[in-house]
Amino acid sequence: MLKPQNSPTRELINLDGLYRFQVDHEQAGIRDGWQNSTLDTTLEMGVPASYNDVFTDPAIREHVGYVWYQRQVRVPRGWSEERIHLRLDSATHSGKVFVNEILVAEHSGGYTPFSADITEHVTAGEEFRLTIAVNNELTQATIPPGSVTVLEDGRRKQRYLHDFYNYSGLHRSVWLYSTPTAHIEDVTVVTDFEGKRGSVGYRIDLVGGSGIEQVTVRILDADGNEVGGAAGAEGTAEIPDVELWQPGMGYLYTMVVEVVEEGSVVDSYSQPFGVRRVEVQGKQLLINGEPFYFTGFGMHEDHVTIGKGHSNAQMINDFQLLKWTGANSFRTSHYPYAEEVMDFADRHGIVVIDETAAVGLNAAFAGFFGEGGKKTYAEDFVNEETAASHRQAITELIARDKNHPSVVLWSIANEPDVTEEGARTYFEPLAALTRKLDPTRPVGFVNEVRGTPNEDKVADLFDVIMLNRYYGWYVHTGDLASAEQALEKELREWDQKYGRPIIITEYGADTLPGLHSLYDQPWSEEYQTALLDMYHRVFDRVEAVTGEQVWNFADFQTSYGIIRVDGNKKGAFTRDRKPKSAAHTLRRRWTEIPNRKPGASRP
Ligand code: GCB
């Protein structure tokens, strides 16, 4: 799915800013057609942002159901010959979009974009009323799943089995844009290279034309010089003296796609891309033929006040801190991040493990909350409806992110149950779908502690082993010697059984900044550091470990719970991005080992 842009044939208007905002406490809005008139509210809300922490009223913060956003939008007067589209970069978790009284788009899945062609419903030069109803309910039919219960007093409660707060609203930008009638609908770029020669396979999908258009592509280097080109909707362009996209050096080319009809350009779109190759060979993940060692974090889109709202300034600050630690990568735990984040990673050579929002598909976590004995793959939990949403989540993630060179690996789920028989039936088709949609990147999922090499039923379906392990925290708490033995034993078992790359996608300890101890005392800054050091010793001994991503980059908000004190505190940075001691420890290690495992020989 193309990101909207200004081009010689397209115009783009950003619709962020203040919206009228109404919380649908009585669940009346859809029934009563709130889109048909001005919302009956004095509240206003900024877009993009989560609304939860913005207001003082707990009934808004914990609201389960629809909230409504509304504003007037004027269509530029010059757009009378154009197709006119609305695009929402996300609506968490589902959205209905109305132009005046008319429903023009509906989408579920809170972290991927959707759009509507609204040409028939608006007039160039005139205003329309844009109303967006956003629903934050999670059910067993959504990704991530959850359940809504109605309490005796009528309050509705949202339950979910993942460890981050259910921030809701319009977290990303809203756009109005124009395209010509015959226009480029999609661009797919697949790159490779041989020696100094780069090859750029491409496919252009067109819509709305007469079928007699011609397509040309021109490849521009980072300085804007034309270095290659091709004609036709599908083909391969060559770059003679190619500059590769490398970890730490995000060299980007631009593919300028033009649709020509009777000698004139009717549509033009510029797609940035990088030339690089990713493959798994034995126990290594290779980028451009060289073994890559991941350092970095599982992250969250999470900030004070704006929650999961995208902010360019916060994004730059987070990337600055990543760089300061020496990290070369991150995982988009546990959902696709804003496209601005992916573009930044492309430009700066940061390697990304790109994850769907399939988190919490695991009844064992309900046991953690006192509801033991449930099965995951069952009619009342992860069922065919969940699978359908999961297929949609994978499809939309790849459609959105396929052209990002920074993405080297798809993670199709975080910590699903992989011990029940049903896991294989569930995951086999999903792994196959991911490979079919993108044959060029390795595929994995992130495994939780109960899915040991003996218990796990699905690891062989994937290219890499990604493990979240909490030896020294949830098990062997405060006993790093036992934790060290247990960790090494398990990693060696994985290595022996599969001989595939192992990426440790989570390890860490909750830590209260300012708490110090001479002993191995959980929650102290010393313990967090000692635990990380212990993991690093083990990683350096086990050859198959090809990456370390600490949980988490920064402290983040969660739902209330007795094991969370104002959120999860496993950050190397506090929620307001101050370094804990651990951040300095990581910086010392990672700045010493850019992209390569300690002790690994250079080719
Ligand atoms: C995990 C989850 C992550 C949690 C983390 C924790 O395994 O993947 O979402 O936040 O553990 O801190 O418990």
Side-chain angles (χ1 to χ4, degrees):
M1 184 185 202
L2 293 185
K3 202 176 163 204
Q5 65 178 212
N6 276 305
S7 85
T9 59
R10 296 167 171 239
E11 284 169 39
L12 175 63
I13 294 173
N14 181 275
L15 300 182
D16 295 353
L18 291 173
Y19 283 62
R20 279 190 290 280
F21 183 73
Q22 188 168 2
V23 181
D24 192 354
H25 293 292
E26 310 298 329
Q27 299 184 76
I30 298 289
R31 187 194 62 213
D32 295 350
W34 284 7
Q35 72 276 10
N36 296 337
S37 52
T38 303
L39 291 177
D40 181 16
T41 182
T42 55
L43 295 181
E44 297 182 42
M45 176 61 205
V47 173
S50 304
Y51 61 80
N52 310 78
D53 291 349
V54 169
F55 299 97
T56 51
D57 180 356
I60 299 181
R61 184 170 197 268
E62 299 301 334
H63 173 69
V64 179
Y66 279 104
V67 297
W68 292 68
Y69 293 76
Q70 195 177 63
R71 61 166 281 176
Q72 293 295 117
V73 176
R74 183 175 297 281
V75 179
R77 61 182 175 169
W79 287 14
S80 55
E81 299 299 312
E82 309 301 311
R83 299 306 298 183
I84 300 165
H85 312 257
L86 263 175
R87 192 215 214 223
L88 278 72
D89 286 354
S90 71
T92 311
H93 294 281
S94 69
K96 287 186 197 291
V97 183
F98 301 90
V99 166
N100 300 320
E101 288 82 25
I102 297 155
L103 177 69
V104 295
E106 271 185 282
H107 180 262
S108 105
Y111 305 96
T112 39
F114 60 104
S115 66
D117 183 327
I118 59 168
T119 317
E120 309 311 326
H121 309 299
V122 297
T123 307
E126 292 187 8
E127 279 196 334
F128 68 89
R129 186 175 60 250
L130 170 63
T131 309
I132 306 167
V134 182
N135 190 307
N136 66 350
E137 288 174 53
L138 297 172
T139 69
Q140 100 281 359
T142 60
I143 289 292
S147 62
V148 177
T149 43
V150 183
L151 306 181
E152 274 179 12
D153 62 7
R155 278 177 304 141
R156 304 171 79 233
K157 271 238 176 270
Q158 178 70 64
R159 301 285 310 276
Y160 44 92
L161 300 179
H162 52 265
D163 184 36
F164 53 93
Y165 186 73
N166 190 32
Y167 279 116
S168 315
L170 294 175
H171 289 155
R172 299 175 189 164
S173 288
V174 181
W175 305 94
L176 183 73
Y177 68 99
S178 72
T179 64
T181 304
H183 63 271
I184 300 157
E185 167 98 325
D186 200 11
V187 176
T188 308
V189 179
V190 172
T191 65
D192 204 349
F193 64 96
E194 191 63 56
K196 292 296 280 172
R197 234 183 152 63
S199 73
V200 187
Y202 69 90
R203 201 190 67 230
I204 312 301
D205 295 321
L206 298 180
V207 290
S210 59
I212 51 164
E213 311 83 5
Q214 287 172 330
V215 176
T216 63
V217 306
R218 289 183 293 125
I219 310 287
L220 309 183
D221 69 13
D223 298 321
N225 304 313
E226 193 165 330
V227 291
E234 199 160 353
T236 305
E238 304 254 307
I239 304 176
D241 196 11
V242 72
E243 185 89 44
L244 298 180
W245 188 96
Q246 303 272 20
M249 280 225 306
Y251 192 93
L252 294 183
Y253 290 93
T254 303
M255 175 179 283
V256 181
V257 183
E258 287 175 339
V259 183
V260 181
E261 202 170 8
E262 290 173 5
S264 60
V265 174
V266 291
D267 193 18
S268 157
Y269 187 90
S270 292
Q271 175 66 53
F273 68 96
V275 179
R276 59 111 185 85
R277 182 166 64 224
V278 182
E279 62 209 307
V280 169
Q281 243 178 47
K283 299 178 190 182
Q284 293 179 322
L285 185 137
L286 309 179
I287 300 181
N288 302 333
E290 293 203 15
F292 179 71
Y293 189 78
F294 296 79
T295 58
F297 301 92
M299 299 185 67
H300 264 301
E301 292 185 312
D302 177 273
H303 289 95
V304 172
T305 312
I306 60 172
K308 293 206 172 308
H310 174 73
S311 142
N312 283 323
Q314 299 282 21
M315 171 186 80
I316 304 273
N317 183 233
D318 283 357
F319 275 117
Q320 281 284 303
L321 295 174
L322 264 190
K323 191 170 176 197
W324 178 88
T325 62
N328 61 19
S329 69
F330 65 93
R331 174 169 60 118
T332 70
S333 42
H334 298 304
Y335 38 82
Y337 289 1
E339 283 165 271
E340 290 86 345
V341 175
M342 309 307 287
D343 290 341
F344 190 100
D346 288 346
R347 289 195 299 275
H348 295 270
I350 300 152
V351 173
V352 181
I353 301 176
D354 204 2
E355 187 159 278
T356 69
V359 54
L361 280 65
N362 198 327
F365 299 153
F368 207 64
F369 295 100
E371 296 170 10
K374 271 186 76 156
K375 279 225 171 278
T376 299
Y377 302 96
E379 247 336 284
D380 64 345
F381 188 21
V382 175
N383 59 20
E384 182 41 44
E385 279 187 297
T386 327
S389 294
H390 203 158
R391 288 195 291 275
Q392 184 195 337
I394 292 170
T395 307
E396 291 187 359
L397 175 67
I398 294 177
R400 195 194 74 163
D401 287 352
K402 62 188 171 184
N403 292 327
H404 288 288
S406 55
V407 175
V408 301
L409 176 57
W410 302 115
S411 166
I412 66 169
N414 181 70
E415 300 199 340
D417 183 295
V418 290
T419 64
E420 287 174 25
E421 288 303 331
R424 201 166 174 93
T425 321
Y426 185 84
F427 274 102
E428 202 161 13
L430 294 180
L433 172 70
T434 315
R435 286 185 208 293
K436 191 177 128 218
L437 293 171
D438 181 7
T440 73
R441 288 178 179 88
V443 182
F445 80 99
V446 171
N447 161 303
E448 56 102 0
V449 65
R450 294 175 325 118
T452 58
N454 275 335
E455 296 298 323
D456 162 86
K457 309 248 182 318
V458 302
D460 62 298
L461 301 170
F462 296 92
D463 301 300
V464 297
I465 314 271
M466 291 193 271
L467 303 176
N468 293 350
R469 288 300 178 268
Y470 287 96
Y471 294 110
W473 188 252
Y474 293 119
V475 284
H476 301 305
T477 317
D479 178 359
L480 292 178
S482 301
E484 182 159 359
Q485 284 168 27
L487 174 66
E488 181 156 359
K489 179 167 171 289
E490 192 192 341
L491 295 183
R492 292 201 184 279
E493 282 167 13
W494 281 108
D495 185 16
Q496 243 175 7
K497 186 157 180 185
Y498 294 102
R500 291 190 189 165
I502 301 174
I503 304 164
I504 313 298
T505 33
E506 290 184 23
Y507 61 110
D510 284 273
T511 303
L512 197 60
L515 181 68
H516 292 285
S517 177
L518 284 174
Y519 313 108
D520 274 346
Q521 186 185 331
W523 292 92
S524 66
E525 295 206 35
E526 284 79 2
Y527 189 69
Q528 187 181 30
T529 294
L531 181 142
L532 297 177
D533 284 342
M534 178 278 278
Y535 274 75
H536 298 153
R537 285 195 297 277
V538 176
F539 299 163
D540 293 351
R541 292 198 291 265
V542 179
E543 186 207 340
V545 173
T546 56
E548 52 190 59
Q549 292 187 332
V550 170
W551 192 254
N552 187 284
F553 169 69
D555 295 347
F556 57 91
Q557 197 50 269
T558 63
S559 59
Y560 301 137
I562 50 171
I563 61 161
R564 297 286 176 254
V565 187
D566 193 26
N568 186 306
K569 294 280 190 276
K570 294 192 186 69
F573 294 90
T574 58
R575 198 173 185 218
D576 61 354
R577 274 52 178 174
K578 304 279 185 342
K580 300 181 191 170
S581 305
H584 294 277
T585 304
L586 294 171
R587 172 173 157 85
R588 272 192 294 277
R589 175 172 166 86
W590 292 344
T591 49
E592 283 294 303
I593 55 166
N595 308 334
R596 192 166 291 279
K597 184 155 189 179
S601 55
R602 304 213 155 250

